[in-house]
Amino acid sequence: MCFRVRQAAWLAMMMVALASAPSCATAATAASSHASTHAKDASKKNTSAKAKATTNKAANKTPSVPNNQRLADLCKRLAPRLPGVSVNDCKNTALVASSAQSREGVPMLVKEQAAAKGKPELRILMLGGIHGDEPTASAIVFQWMKLLQTPAAQGFHWKIAPVVNPDGMLAAKQKRTNAKGVDLNRNFPTPNWKTEAPRYWVKETGSDPRRFPGTTPLSEPESRWVNDQIERFKPNVVISIHAPFGVLDFDGPVEPPQKFGRLMFNPVGVYPGSLGNYVGLHKNLPVITIELPNSQTMPPDAEVQRIWLDMLTWIRGHVPPTSSKKAPAASKASSKASSKASTKKSAASAAASHK
């Protein structure tokens, strides 16, 4: 009897154990499910956090500023420095604030205008203000840009940079050099630059800081940009405006101009690292250097017009377009003779000229 009681009790215990087993399995499954849900939630949180971080990063990134706003901002800074140029004059030029920048991050301003349909492809690269303390050399370019829509100008393909040295132009006290103290017009890669440019700077200028050529050619973003424009645009003629010697200078393979307005042809020299030396003598492209008579005061309006018209007339008659770019042999020979005379004359007046 006792045996049967014990057996019944044992069977009851087994039944209870079997009845509770599914509950344990269910609990295990529930625990597993909870862990999986937690992992998914954590993954979602991480994804959300990453998305939020990306959004915040995008929000903090400086938005691109439209060109008209960048130009307007620059014009407000430049116009007070340029005689006879208003903010509206500057804004109405339709200049483009390019991605290229000066040493201090000022965008290089440039305007390109193609020739009228059916005209020969004659390309003009015009550069103003390579020296920041010659504001008239930039101001006159702004005046000439108003004339680009006239018939006389529409026969050419133009690329114009009115302020090549914005840092020097915008400095508290305008200066010849860029923000790093380099004379951009001594920073071009003429042959033997590494020996000739430093030697000339020390011996001929007495280490004048205003004429420091830099430590290597094309060391400056502004001179590199000009060089890049020459390589990409492939001009037939380069016009560089300076002040205050009141003359015309010329380097290159064609007959030099004799007179633009009241400015007479009078070579001011050939210097290591100068634009005229580099482009005119070693790239064999005509380079006209217009030296205005005053760096701070503009010529009369009539003279501004006359220089412009004489310049266009000379280019039309002496510079061959791209299709016939090779200059006549006689002109080349004459130009070489002129260059030699220029070099001889510059030796006597180097201390005073320094274009």
Side-chain angles (χ1 to χ4, degrees), residues 296-315:
Q296 304 298 317
T297 303
M298 285 286 288
D301 291 345
E303 177 68 357
V304 171
Q305 290 263 357
R306 176 50 57 192
I307 295 171
W308 169 259
L309 291 174
D310 287 350
M311 176 181 67
L312 297 187
T313 300
W314 179 86
I315 292 172

Side-chain angles (χ1 to χ4, degrees), residues 98-184:
S98 71
S99 58
Q101 297 181 340
S102 68
R103 175 66 68 175
E104 289 194 338
V106 180
M108 304 299 286
L109 294 175
V110 64
K111 179 182 178 71
E112 185 168 358
Q113 177 177 295
K117 254 187 175 182
K119 297 289 184 181
E121 182 70 353
L122 203 161
R123 294 174 168 238
I124 302 174
L125 176 63
M126 178 176 282
L127 306 170
I130 198 168
H131 290 145
D133 59 354
E134 300 169 6
T136 54
S138 287
I140 199 167
V141 178
F142 279 94
Q143 299 298 338
W144 286 339
M145 281 193 286
K146 296 177 183 178
L147 305 174
L148 287 178
Q149 300 307 318
T150 60
Q154 288 184 323
F156 305 107
H157 187 160
W158 295 88
K159 195 155 198 181
I160 301 175
V163 188
V164 174
N165 181 7
D167 295 346
M169 188 74 67
L170 293 170
K173 182 181 179 181
Q174 290 181 331
K175 57 183 183 177
R176 176 184 175 99
T177 62
N178 75 343
K180 198 180 177 183
V182 174
D183 182 347
L184 300 175

